[in-house]
Amino acid sequence: DVKVTQSSRYLVKRTGEKVFLECVQDMDHENMFWYRQDPGLGLRLIYFSYDVKMKEKGDIPEGYSVSREKKERFSLILESASTNQTSMYLCASSFLFRLAGGRSTDTQYFGPGTRLTVL
Amino acid sequence: SQQGEEDPQALSIQEGENATMNCSYKTSINNLQWYRQNSGRGLVHLILIRSNEREKHSGRLRVTLDTSKKSSSLLITASRAADTASYFCGRSGGSNYKLTFGKGTLLTVNP
């Protein structure tokens, strides 16, 4: 079974703190993703990575950065946490498929989520 | 943008009934994936259907895809209280790697 783990289930931080959220997958997946989920807004993609040291912005990258130094690990960094970053953060990973018309993601496997509260 | 939505936003049925949820999208896709999320947890993958497929089954789940209408549906037959969850469809297409999700359908199955 694919396993995606996240470093914390619940996290409470103060405004202005630097926050690290860690995600590890054990399936040798090329792709890794960070989403945030808010009531009424669904899942929104923050950043994704398709290879070690490679990253691309998602739909809402402002206020976040990421790091992928090893294939199995993808970190989300909040440089200076703010209250509007209080949310559920979900990490996912998948294999990468290269198609004639571009690239595609296969099944994404999600971690259990980290509920971050910024006070 | 491949923004689309799941429909309805909420669905309440009795145990044993069938539940149908729909997903619409606006641009072409490579594949479409359905996920379930229990309250406060991560998403669990249910079924992936590729753009050249029209129907897939997995246990009590049936997914259809109509690319001419840019829509998909998820049917859960003989529902159980344990099926109570939010259901999301993720669309993958274009030249990128990502899935685009809607806001989901909250399914409540009453015992």
Side-chain angles (χ1 to χ4, degrees):
Chain A
D1 273 358
V2 175
K3 192 158 189 185
V4 179
T5 57
Q6 295 184 228
S7 49
S8 305
R9 285 285 288 128
Y10 299 95
L11 206 53
V12 180
K13 295 292 181 180
R14 298 224 171 258
T15 301
E17 280 193 76
K18 190 169 186 175
V19 182
F20 292 87
L21 302 182
E22 304 283 337
C23 176
V24 178
Q25 50 94 6
D26 66 357
M27 275 300 290
D28 202 35
H29 285 162
E30 295 93 348
N31 293 343
M32 295 189 76
F33 307 83
W34 275 107
Y35 296 88
R36 66 176 281 177
Q37 184 177 26
D38 302 286
L41 296 177
L43 276 84
R44 294 179 292 168
L45 182 65
I46 304 171
Y47 266 99
F48 64 103
S49 168
Y50 52 91
D51 202 350
V52 174
K53 297 190 187 294
M54 305 304 289
K55 61 186 179 185
E56 285 195 24
K57 293 179 180 179
D59 300 315
I60 51 164
E62 296 78 19
Y64 304 94
S65 62
V66 290
S67 172
R68 193 161 180 206
E69 296 297 319
K70 294 184 177 182
K71 191 173 186 180
E72 68 270 19
R73 188 179 297 269
F74 192 36
S75 302
L76 179 69
I77 303 155
L78 288 66
E79 293 290 342
S80 178
S82 63
T83 54
N84 62 13
Q85 292 178 310
T86 291
S87 187
M88 169 73 103
Y89 289 87
L90 294 165
C91 174
S93 70
S94 78
F95 286 118
L96 168 66
F97 284 91
R98 290 186 173 82
L99 306 173
R103 300 156 290 189
S104 179
T105 182
D106 199 47
T107 298
Q108 291 194 11
Y109 295 88
F110 282 79
T114 295
R115 187 166 293 281
L116 173 66
T117 301
V118 182
L119 302 175
Chain B
S1 167
Q2 298 177 57
Q3 286 301 313
E5 293 297 337
E6 292 88 346
D7 163 59
Q9 289 187 8
L11 180 61
S12 181
I13 60 174
Q14 295 299 123
E15 217 167 16
E17 293 180 342
N18 295 342
T20 300
M21 288 157 270
N22 303 297
C23 171
S24 62
Y25 56 92
K26 296 184 178 179
T27 57
S28 62
I29 57 169
N30 296 320
N31 65 64
L32 186 145
Q33 306 178 30
W34 284 92
Y35 291 82
R36 184 188 74 229
Q37 183 182 36
N38 292 95
S39 180
R41 308 297 297 184
L43 276 68
V44 174
H45 179 257
L46 297 175
I47 290 183
L48 181 153
I49 187 164
R50 301 193 188 280
S51 59
N52 60 353
E53 298 175 314
R54 291 296 167 258
E55 188 170 313
K56 286 189 87 167
H57 296 255
S58 176
R60 294 183 296 111
L61 307 180
R62 172 179 168 244
V63 168
T64 60
L65 179 65
D66 186 336
T67 52
S68 66
K69 295 181 179 178
K70 294 186 168 57
S71 68
S72 174
S73 66
L74 169 67
L75 169 67
I76 304 175
T77 60
S79 64
R80 306 166 181 166
D83 295 327
T84 294
S86 291
Y87 292 82
F88 295 88
C89 71
R91 285 83 65 187
S92 174
S95 60
N96 59 55
Y97 310 92
K98 64 180 187 179
L99 286 179
T100 301
F101 290 93
K103 297 173 185 173
T105 293
L106 175 60
L107 173 66
T108 303
V109 181
N110 301 300

